Amino acid sequence: MFPKIDIAGMVCPNNVFLAPLAGYTNYPFRELCRGLGAGLTFTEMVSAKGLHYNSEETKKLLYCGDESPKAAQIFGSEPALMRAACESEALAPFDLIDINMGCPMPKIVRNGEGSALLENLPLAEKIISECVKSGKRISVKFRIGITDDKKITAEFARLCEGAGACMITVHGRSRERVYAGAPDYEEIASAKNAVKIPVIANGGVWSKGDAEKTIARTGADGVMIARAALYRPQVFADIAEIEPPPMKELFLKQLKETKELYGERFATVFMRKMAAFYLKGVKGAAEYKRRLFQAQDTEEVARLAEEIFC
């Protein structure tokens, strides 16, 4: 059910991936999930325009180590800039470049990026084909349509394959639904039936059972886990059938690595947020969250973690 998967010669140890999550999938969190069994992890989405203007903040999102394989996600609406991003030194270490054509956030859509490209098929096709010319492996992540009454999943899947993409990930919800409601498994299946390249199903996977159901109902070649990983990254260990380390050990390691890489202030703020996610289902969570968000430094966050995840 969760075998190795070959994506244009890039072999992943299994077919259960960590989704790109804006604001969260930095290097320490990706490494946490990889250590727990994720077959492939993606950076948070990176602006091609930001790379063009040599933004240091944008480059920080692309920090990576010697892990293999590894994937980055980029977004933009200008084919030439998207190709230049793929050819840039910043993206050179990555084995796969994913193009975001599914983000539903208004500030992205207003710029003609993300899911806005579902309404401009010629431009979407041009962006993919230009990125493919970079010589990198190119994948595309997209939604089933803008609204539930205008789904274009199979058509868009064929467009991606025809333009040279070596994999697609289908989020089984329309843009109007954002993250609400169950994924449309039939639409994901329609993408799988329309193309020969690997198809990854995204949406509604919170457990091993959900992953099995999604693959069974869609015929997809794998699944991508998003929000579930924020609340409980051990979901990857469940699927990989490995025994995860205790939450306290995982958290303190993530805290240490985040501080070393991004500094004291970022680590304090970021790991307070992560601890709040990890507290789901913990007795007394509301009080712990109140204390966490008053923590002023990583030492205080670590002390609270020792108490919370004992």
Side-chain angles (χ1 to χ4, degrees), residues 111-190:
N111 289 333
E113 301 164 337
S115 61
L117 291 162
L118 297 174
E119 297 182 286
N120 192 339
L121 301 194
L123 179 57
E125 185 174 32
K126 179 68 173 173
I127 288 170
I128 298 166
S129 63
E130 282 299 306
C131 289
V132 168
K133 290 175 185 175
S134 71
K136 302 288 283 189
R137 294 182 188 88
I138 301 298
S139 63
V140 184
K141 187 171 187 286
F142 64 94
R143 286 173 175 259
I144 61 176
I146 300 300
T147 60
D148 283 349
D149 61 357
K150 190 181 178 184
K151 297 171 183 174
I152 61 167
T153 318
E155 178 186 1
F156 204 82
R158 285 190 289 267
L159 179 151
C160 293
E161 182 179 50
C166 64
M167 182 183 82
I168 56 173
T169 300
V170 184
H171 184 143
R173 300 182 181 95
S174 63
R175 185 174 78 195
E176 70 176 356
R177 284 208 282 142
V178 191
Y179 303 110
D184 190 325
Y185 299 107
E186 289 184 7
E187 283 297 308
I188 299 173
S190 76

Side-chain angles (χ1 to χ4, degrees), residues 122-302:
L123 179 57
E125 185 174 32
K126 179 68 173 173
I127 288 170
I128 298 166
S129 63
E130 282 299 306
C131 289
V132 168
K133 290 175 185 175
S134 71
K136 302 288 283 189
R137 294 182 188 88
I138 301 298
S139 63
V140 184
K141 187 171 187 286
F142 64 94
R143 286 173 175 259
I144 61 176
I146 300 300
T147 60
D148 283 349
D149 61 357
K150 190 181 178 184
K151 297 171 183 174
I152 61 167
T153 318
E155 178 186 1
F156 204 82
R158 285 190 289 267
L159 179 151
C160 293
E161 182 179 50
C166 64
M167 182 183 82
I168 56 173
T169 300
V170 184
H171 184 143
R173 300 182 181 95
S174 63
R175 185 174 78 195
E176 70 176 356
R177 284 208 282 142
V178 191
Y179 303 110
D184 190 325
Y185 299 107
E186 289 184 7
E187 283 297 308
I188 299 173
S190 76
K192 175 59 185 170
N193 292 331
V195 298
K196 292 183 172 63
I197 57 176
V199 175
I200 307 300
N202 176 222
V205 179
W206 293 84
S207 66
K208 181 178 181 180
D210 290 337
E212 291 171 338
K213 177 182 73 174
T214 297
I215 290 174
R217 292 185 64 175
T218 65
D221 299 286
V223 295
M224 185 175 280
I225 296 178
R227 288 173 297 155
L230 294 177
Y231 289 98
R232 192 173 173 275
Q234 296 95 326
V235 65
F236 293 108
D238 295 344
I239 293 170
E241 297 184 338
I242 61 175
E243 186 66 32
M247 188 67 242
K248 180 169 72 174
E249 181 182 326
L250 291 171
F251 182 88
L252 292 175
K253 183 173 184 287
Q254 185 186 2
L255 175 65
K256 178 176 180 289
E257 292 176 353
T258 303
K259 179 181 176 180
E260 288 173 351
L261 191 55
Y262 301 109
E264 172 72 23
R265 184 58 190 159
F266 177 90
T268 301
V269 174
F270 181 77
M271 292 306 294
R272 288 188 314 204
K273 289 193 301 181
M274 294 308 301
F277 279 115
Y278 299 156
L279 274 166
K280 185 178 182 181
V282 173
K283 187 177 180 181
E287 176 60 17
Y288 281 133
K289 285 180 184 178
R290 184 192 67 79
R291 292 169 62 192
L292 266 170
F293 283 98
Q294 290 179 344
Q296 295 301 304
D297 54 39
T298 53
E299 286 189 12
E300 194 173 350
V301 173

